[in-house]
Amino acid sequence: HADLALYQAKNCGRNALQFFNHHLKHKVTLELQLEEELRQALISDGGLLLHYQPILDLRSGDVTKLEALLRWQHPRLGLLSPDRFLGIAEANGFITELDAWVLRRACADLAGLVAQGHAELRVAVNCSALDLSHDDLPSIVATALEGAGLRPQNLELEVTENALMSSVNQALGLLQRIRELGVSISIDDFGTGYSSLAYLKRLPLDTLKIDRSFLFDIPGSEADGEIVHAIIGMAHILRLQVVAEGVESAEQLAFLRGLGCDFIQGYLFSRPLPLEQLADFLAGPDAS
Ligand code: C2E
Ligand code: CA
Ligand code: CA
Ligand code: CA
């Protein structure tokens, strides 16, 4: 719409220019309002919620991990996915508060699942790149664990490859402190960044998540297949477990199994679920 407005403005002179300005103002006002509403949702603990996507261990056939994915139930706009609002929190300096809220909620929810008998289940929580510039990230993590009474073995942090590589030395120190707590670390969206083997070797990592862009054309694309093959091989040499993200077809699953991939996550197995549905999913088919 903005492009169209600009075009009209250029071609039709003054009236159109006013229209364009009006359009921009409207857009800015909308973003400001969303920002304010997001801050309120965070402060009042109303409207933000987590969905959990089960991650399947291909060897045991069990769900051993979940990924916590943030949602915002907006009063007028409906259920918003993170791509719609994370940027607002990042641009306005409260992404780390938002991620701390996610950590607390995920730890509390997982403590509930542990109490229901899922003692070894682990929840993976996403970190924004900006979180890695906060020296107190380890204490935020420790506080969330303590508050929920959750063991560190039940928690994993996901950090994107790009976030890690943008300031390797800072990230290295922080992640080491977090890992000393007993929390695992995974490198997310792997293959989309530019990490070198030297860094991968140095970073305290447990799991590597292959970005789903490499899976789109599998089994069709031989090149993508070879890349996935190579990533899995390299990860295993570095003693990292591998999660393939965005698995949508039985063919992709068969291919990944053949390559010795450790875990899969994707719509084929399960979409991200609200907590109540997740409990049913974990209880299995005989429970209902
Ligand atoms: P991500 O960490 O790469 O998370 C995986 C995304 O892929 C999720 O999107 C998930 O719903 C989607 N997905 C899972 N399986 C499939 C599949 O089979 N096919 C397709 N097409 N998509 C699949 P979602 O929930 O919209 O999250 C988008 C991104 O937002 C995440 O990407 C993550 O980077 C970020 N994010 C989510 N929650 C948080 C959070 O609490 N904090 C921060 N900082 N970022 C978050
Ligand atoms: Ca993730
Ligand atoms: Ca990812
Ligand atoms: Ca992603």
Side-chain angles (χ1 to χ4, degrees):
H1 298 301
D3 287 346
L4 181 64
L6 186 59
Y7 173 80
Q8 286 170 339
K10 276 186 183 150
N11 289 284
C12 311
R14 196 153 176 263
N15 284 343
L17 193 62
Q18 269 167 1
F19 168 74
F20 179 60
N21 279 338
H22 175 77
H23 179 87
L24 248 189
K25 250 183 226 152
H26 178 72
K27 211 174 160 182
V28 169
T29 314
L30 198 77
E31 287 306 298
L32 277 177
Q33 191 181 353
L34 266 189
E35 180 198 337
E36 197 43 47
E37 288 169 333
L38 183 56
R39 283 186 195 277
Q40 275 310 318
L42 182 57
I43 294 167
S44 67
D45 204 352
L48 294 172
L49 58 132
L50 296 181
H51 282 180
Y52 293 97
Q53 189 171 31
I55 299 175
L56 180 69
D57 180 331
L58 287 181
R59 229 151 268 119
S60 68
D62 295 329
V63 174
T64 50
K65 275 202 260 201
L66 311 168
E67 180 173 3
L69 294 160
L70 185 57
R71 302 287 181 264
W72 180 17
Q73 185 66 57
H74 188 278
R76 296 182 312 282
L77 303 173
L79 191 66
L80 300 182
S81 65
D83 294 331
R84 181 67 188 86
F85 61 87
L86 281 177
I88 297 178
E90 283 176 344
N92 295 285
F94 61 102
I95 184 68
T96 300
E97 279 81 8
L98 193 59
D99 282 340
W101 181 92
V102 173
L103 261 173
R104 288 196 298 273
R105 170 54 53 84
C107 287
D109 286 347
L110 202 79
L113 291 167
V114 167
Q116 288 168 35
H118 303 287
E120 304 305 321
L121 197 60
R122 185 180 284 180
V123 68
V125 173
N126 289 285
C127 276
S128 152
L130 293 170
D131 297 343
L132 295 181
S133 60
H134 275 254
D135 224 29
D136 52 356
L137 187 62
S139 78
I140 292 174
V141 172
T143 307
L145 285 168
E146 276 161 29
L150 189 71
R151 296 177 313 155
Q153 300 92 286
N154 295 104
L155 179 65
E156 182 159 305
L157 288 195
E158 295 196 359
V159 187
T160 64
E161 184 184 19
N162 278 328
L164 279 176
M165 293 307 141
S166 60
S167 58
V168 177
N169 288 326
Q170 166 107 10
L172 184 63
L174 273 185
L175 296 185
Q176 268 162 354
R177 281 161 61 204
I178 290 169
R179 206 143 172 267
E180 276 159 19
L181 298 171
V183 173
S184 316
I185 313 279
S186 69
I187 184 165
D188 201 359
D189 297 352
F190 188 82
T192 60
Y194 46 90
S195 42
S196 74
L197 278 171
Y199 284 141
L200 274 186
K201 217 178 86 175
R202 273 176 66 205
L203 287 164
L205 301 170
D206 300 279
T207 305
L208 180 154
K209 300 187 79 171
I210 304 178
D211 192 71
R212 70 184 153 87
S213 56
F214 294 103
L215 292 171
F216 284 151
D217 296 328
I218 281 179
S221 157
E222 203 175 317
D224 283 356
E226 288 301 330
I227 291 172
V228 170
H229 189 172
I231 294 177
I232 293 174
M234 179 207 65
H236 284 163
I237 289 170
L238 293 170
R239 306 237 182 292
L240 303 176
Q241 292 200 301
V242 181
V243 179
E245 305 188 299
V247 178
E248 295 184 354
S249 74
E251 289 75 20
Q252 291 171 334
L253 171 58
F255 181 84
L256 290 161
R257 239 188 234 290
L259 295 182
C261 183
D262 305 289
F263 300 90
I264 60 149
Q265 174 179 2
Y267 296 164
L268 175 69
F269 181 58
S270 173
R271 295 202 166 244
L273 303 170
L275 186 62
E276 313 77 62
Q277 284 177 39
L278 175 78
D280 289 347
F281 187 93
L282 292 176
D286 1 57
S288 49

